[in-house]
Amino acid sequence: MAVRPGFVLEVDERTPPLLVHQGEGLLLEQFPLGTRVVYPPESLPGLPDVNAAIADALEHPHGSEPLRDLLFPGMKLTIAFDDLSIPLPRMRRPDIRQRVIEQVLTLAAEQGVDDVHLIVATALHRRMTAAEIEYVVGERVFRSFWPDNLYNHDAEDRDNLTHIGLTDHGEDVEINRRAAESDLVVYVNVNLVAMDGGHKSAAIGLASYNSLRHHHNSHTMLHSKSFMDHTRSAMHSSAWRMGRLLNQHVRVFNIETTVNNQAFPEKYGFLTRREWEWSRKDQAMAYATTAALPKLPSRQRHRFFQGIVADYQVTGVNAGETEATHEKTLEAVHRQQLVEVEGQSDVLVVGLPFLGPYNVDSVMNPILATCMGLGYFFNMYRGRPLVRHKGAMILYHPVTPEFTQLHHPSYVDFYEEVLAESTDPATIEAKFEKQYATDPWYVHLYRTSHAYHGVHPFYMWYWATHGMDHVGDVVWVGGDRRACARLGFRAASTLADALEMVSGTVGRAPSITYLHSPPHAIADVR
């Protein structure tokens, strides 16, 4: 196997079959000779003493006084934290958010603070269950604060929202009233990828639809040229404007954490190791797993994958003023995930895994699969996309038209009603978004059950806008043909068939890049 700089390799005659994720399944695929394979970097070592690192970050923050100096008796303290959309898969307990929150609460108690609320920063995501919250914050914090002082943010509770003001671009900044009226908001984040964190935390996680509509729209997403580089993302530019205005009215102390690439337990270590480095045990596990999964009933397959818990180790803890803290966080993320890549390819191949930010304990429906492929994985780059303009993207996923009614009720109608009329994001936004965003039944399910907000499938479709605009052809290997057609794409049975189908776009001898993920890699395309 010819080795290029970093973790970029080229398929030759000695290359073994490569592992490809295909939803709740795995394949061993033989790629054409010359295919460029971009692997995620090996895991960095975790911090030797995580609790000591947290204490040091709180005592020596970036651009701020120590946290203890911001705490005083009689104050209102609100601790907000990321919901279950990250990290993926969930991390082994204790979750890093628990460790951070416990130290913040200890400092608050020492300083005589007794008015403390903890808020799950769900934005328009589904409400977390009590058990899910307890898993994140730990049994002791949960028992002490749930449910009166530990709860999910409700973006539709008009009595508990505060309009902070308008940015110089006319964007509404409207957030959770408790947070807005606090003397201090401490935001606890897990920065799984470079897209997370910074002003995207409080200004988005605690916001209302009235705020979110300014950046979660087709025009903004089209002009977000890399979600992994906030300086080139229109969405992040909007969030940064909002966050700066918010920070003028409310003191926000950010605590950002980063993890390494150990996205799977050691038992399934073959999922994180390069194929030619597999031990005999890894080889046996890989072949046995890929052979067994198709034979399992779908419910058992789902239970197997959703039950995976990652062995993430914490690689960094930074705290303080939002932008100064986030700069240090990004350095840690890039150390773990950045891979230098020379030039673009005609074809980008990606295998979509079983789990994304919005299908925890759910199936990955066709809209979410589109968001994962053309939204997230297409955007795993800095500089330029891995695939050239009007090239082709080949995705592995079954694209089964199956939906979890509890979590995604509005997705069903979006698939059946909206996509039946148009797949164009701007057309969809103009004709249907307001109806879904304000529908009383969807609002009711968001507020009282565990459903994503009625507008959420629109946001997921917009997320793919830049990818859909950039590539000239999209084919799903193993995808349900009718579902792919409903999405405006095509389906193929094999990689060879997919390459034949896109030959009209990229020719019969295209350059191919396979983004081997998860774990995550951000391609720094030169």
Side-chain angles (χ1 to χ4, degrees), residues 76-80 105 114-119 145 148-151 178 182 186:
K76 282 186 175 182
L77 170 64
T78 296
I79 303 171
L105 290 173
D114 55 16
D115 185 354
V116 182
H117 282 215
L118 292 93
I119 304 176
F145 290 90
D148 295 334
N149 293 67
L150 168 59
Y151 47 86
R178 164 69 198 199
S182 293
V186 173

Side-chain angles (χ1 to χ4, degrees), residues 358-370:
Y358 317 112
N359 74 306
V360 176
D361 260 347
S362 309
V363 297
M364 187 180 290
N365 62 56
I367 293 100
L368 290 178
T370 301

Side-chain angles (χ1 to χ4, degrees), residues 197-200 230 236-244 323 326:
H199 286 298
K200 189 171 173 290
H230 73 84
H236 284 85
S237 295
S238 177
W240 253 239
R241 289 191 294 269
M242 291 180 167
R244 286 167 178 162
E323 294 181 29
H326 194 57

Side-chain angles (χ1 to χ4, degrees), residues 239-253:
W240 253 239
R241 289 191 294 269
M242 291 180 167
R244 286 167 178 162
L245 178 62
L246 175 63
N247 286 9
Q248 292 174 17
H249 291 77
V250 183
R251 183 70 184 261
V252 179
F253 186 93

Side-chain angles (χ1 to χ4, degrees), residues 260-334:
N260 64 8
N261 263 349
Q262 290 181 211
F264 298 98
E266 179 54 34
K267 179 180 179 181
Y268 304 112
F270 70 92
L271 293 171
T272 56
R273 286 191 273 272
R274 296 185 284 274
E275 288 83 357
W276 69 94
E277 296 175 340
W278 282 351
S279 65
R280 290 189 176 183
K281 180 182 176 183
D282 289 332
Q283 293 175 22
M285 279 294 295
Y287 282 97
T289 305
T290 54
L293 284 171
K295 301 174 184 176
L296 292 177
S298 60
R299 183 171 294 183
Q300 280 186 255
R301 260 197 329 271
H302 181 73
R303 190 160 53 238
F304 165 76
F305 277 106
Q306 291 286 336
I308 289 176
V309 178
D311 282 334
Y312 290 122
Q313 293 185 37
V314 179
T315 58
V317 182
N318 287 281
E321 186 273 329
T322 303
E323 294 181 29
T325 298
H326 194 57
E327 184 178 339
K328 297 296 183 182
T329 299
L330 287 178
E331 291 175 6
V333 172
H334 289 159

